[in-house]
Amino acid sequence: MENSIKKIANPHIVDLIPYQPGKPIEELARQLGISDIIKLASNENPLGASEKAMLAAKKALETLYLYPDGACFELKEALSRFHHLPFNHFTIGNGSENILEIIVKSFLMPGEEAIISQYTFATIPLILKSFGANIVTIPTQAWQVDCKAILNTLHAKVKMIFIVNPNNPTGTYVSKSNLELILEKASPETIIVVDEAYNEYIDAEDYTDALPYIEQYPNLIVVRTFSKAYGLSGLRVGYAISQAQVADILNRTRLPFNVNSIALAAATASLNDQAHVEKSKALNDRGKKKLTEGFKKLNLNFIPSVANFVTVHVGEKALDIYEKLLQKGVIVRPLVGYGMGEFLRITIGTEKENARLLSALGEVK
């Protein structure tokens, strides 16, 4: 029966390997029967959501019997004010993954080519494969996106370019000059998607986000999320920023009521609490310094990161170290699925969580 079902399934789907998220705390508790667990696996904000977002979410519970606003009006209005861009430049999604899927569904036909960088956000190739796209993977240079190689690969069949900036899982970034080079040289008929999930954490001098180029390049789509610095991972809210003509296409593809009312309320309120984002960034900066100093003391190499995680080289026993950390109630992220089997990605946590991670890692490495 299983083989017969596979025969009638979409051929693009049959061979897909499902995305493996960071292990949930509840799952580890069930497996090991322990309760003292910290999760440093999914790049969540250790401070959680802001108080304003929590209060808005609670208020939204009063109207759970009603469908959410399918147009996401209040959130779009808040984003328009926050980013100083027109209301019709925004598309709202159920997390940035939903936005990425909407983009591919809207602009990419089966058999058309999409360029991605090696070691990039694993959901992107998964979405592309599910829609039958031909993926062109550009090798990195010292863990950096090789922008010149991307440009050398461009031809008429390339319909889409994905740049994750800052990049996950490496924590590296594309400089302003390289971003501008891609925007200038790519065909106007090639959609350029810049995923900026970790934008709030970076302060490198030669970095710029892509928003200043929106009005200049009609083929540019910027993707943002409320899951990281805003601490709303559990509610799933992301959005795209583009010119109005692009947003019009994306919103034709977006399914109705794709974001629930609690998520919309919390996201809208969180934009009005930038103090929480600044506090989260400051905690992350301190934690990154503590972790990287600790990795050096443990003689562990790591990829310098501008995000809210650090990817550490622990050698060929990475999975064994990962399992031993689980036994100590510490969840990190193995990167076998990214082709980085000797690395672990570690989210920057609170001061106490970082200290516990370093202690546990020193015991098991």
Side-chain angles (χ1 to χ4, degrees):
M1 181 64 178
E2 181 180 349
N3 288 335
S4 64
I5 291 297
K6 284 188 175 181
K7 286 180 181 179
I8 64 173
N10 187 325
H12 306 311
I13 304 298
V14 172
D15 295 327
L16 285 181
I17 299 174
Y19 179 79
Q20 295 294 324
K23 184 182 287 291
I25 290 175
E26 297 82 0
E27 181 179 330
L28 184 61
R30 290 193 300 269
Q31 290 175 343
L32 300 184
I34 60 177
S35 57
D36 185 14
I37 300 170
I38 60 171
K39 183 185 178 189
L40 301 175
S42 298
N43 305 338
E44 295 139 334
N45 186 338
L47 293 182
S50 76
E51 184 177 350
K52 289 182 179 179
M54 295 286 283
L55 290 172
K58 291 177 181 177
K59 179 67 176 177
L61 291 173
E62 298 174 5
T63 56
L64 284 187
Y65 63 96
L66 297 173
Y67 282 103
D69 175 11
C72 308
F73 180 88
E74 290 188 2
L75 179 53
K76 284 185 182 180
E77 192 174 55
L79 287 167
S80 177
R81 289 195 302 268
F82 181 73
H83 289 297
H84 307 290
L85 287 168
F87 178 91
N88 60 6
H89 280 37
F90 296 92
T91 307
I92 312 300
N94 193 266
S96 59
E97 292 94 338
N98 180 220
I99 289 292
L100 292 168
E101 185 177 32
I102 289 170
I103 293 169
V104 173
K105 184 178 179 181
S106 298
F107 289 101
L108 203 62
M109 295 288 289
E112 291 184 321
E113 291 188 0
I115 290 178
I116 65 172
S117 179
Q118 184 184 22
Y119 312 126
T120 198
F121 182 36
T123 295
I124 294 174
L126 188 65
I127 293 171
L128 290 170
K129 289 176 183 177
S130 71
F131 282 91
N134 291 333
I135 302 174
V136 180
T137 303
I138 305 298
T140 60
Q141 292 290 328
W143 307 111
Q144 301 280 346
V145 175
D146 191 340
C147 296
K148 291 183 179 179
I150 289 176
L151 291 176
N152 291 336
T153 309
L154 286 177
H155 55 79
K157 287 187 178 180
V158 175
K159 189 66 173 292
M160 198 168 286
I161 302 171
F162 286 89
I163 299 171
V164 181
N165 197 30
N167 187 57
N168 170 31
T170 61
T172 56
Y173 67 97
V174 172
S175 68
K176 177 181 179 180
S177 59
N178 279 330
L179 176 63
E180 290 178 342
L181 191 63
I182 290 177
L183 292 171
E184 290 170 5
K185 300 298 183 182
S187 165
E189 296 182 357
T190 299
I191 297 294
I192 301 172
V193 183
V194 183
D195 184 342
E196 296 182 342
Y198 299 93
N199 173 72
E200 289 83 4
Y201 292 103
I202 183 171
D203 49 17
E205 291 184 2
D206 59 343
Y207 168 84
T208 182
D209 64 66
L211 292 189
Y213 307 99
I214 287 289
E215 301 296 0
Q216 184 178 353
Y217 295 99
N219 57 330
L220 173 62
I221 305 174
V222 179
V223 179
R224 295 279 183 95
T225 184
F226 286 92
S227 294
K228 306 304 178 185
Y230 288 95
L232 299 180
S233 296
L235 289 179
R236 316 304 302 122
V237 192
Y239 59 100
I241 311 164
S242 63
Q243 288 193 14
Q245 58 186 325
V246 174
D248 176 62
I249 297 296
L250 297 180
N251 279 295
R252 292 169 188 262
T253 307
R254 183 179 65 89
L255 295 177
F257 312 121
N258 64 328
V259 183
N260 70 72
S261 54
I262 299 173
L264 289 172
T268 303
S270 68
L271 280 175
N272 295 319
D273 196 353
Q274 290 302 306
H276 180 75
V277 176
E278 292 168 7
K279 183 179 179 181
S280 300
K281 168 71 165 58
L283 176 69
N284 189 75
D285 289 345
R286 294 193 301 271
K288 188 188 302 179
K289 185 174 185 293
K290 178 73 174 180
L291 281 182
T292 53
E293 288 174 350
F295 296 146
K296 289 175 183 177
K297 290 179 181 178
L298 293 172
N299 294 315
L300 292 172
N301 293 322
F302 57 89
I303 304 172
S305 172
V306 296
N308 68 338
F309 59 86
V310 182
T311 296
V312 186
H313 184 254
V314 294
E316 61 184 14
K317 295 184 179 180
L319 283 179
D320 181 56
I321 291 173
Y322 164 71
E323 292 292 341
K324 288 179 178 179
L325 288 173
L326 291 180
Q327 294 293 325
K328 293 182 174 292
V330 177
I331 307 173
V332 297
R333 185 67 178 273
L335 297 177
V336 175
Y338 284 89
M340 300 173 67
E342 295 189 352
F343 289 79
L344 296 174
R345 192 190 68 194
I346 298 172
T347 302
I348 299 166
T350 63
E351 182 178 352
K352 184 177 179 180
E353 288 171 336
N354 296 333
R356 180 174 169 183
L357 175 279
L358 289 171
S359 175
L361 189 57
E363 293 172 5
V364 305
K365 79 176 187 72

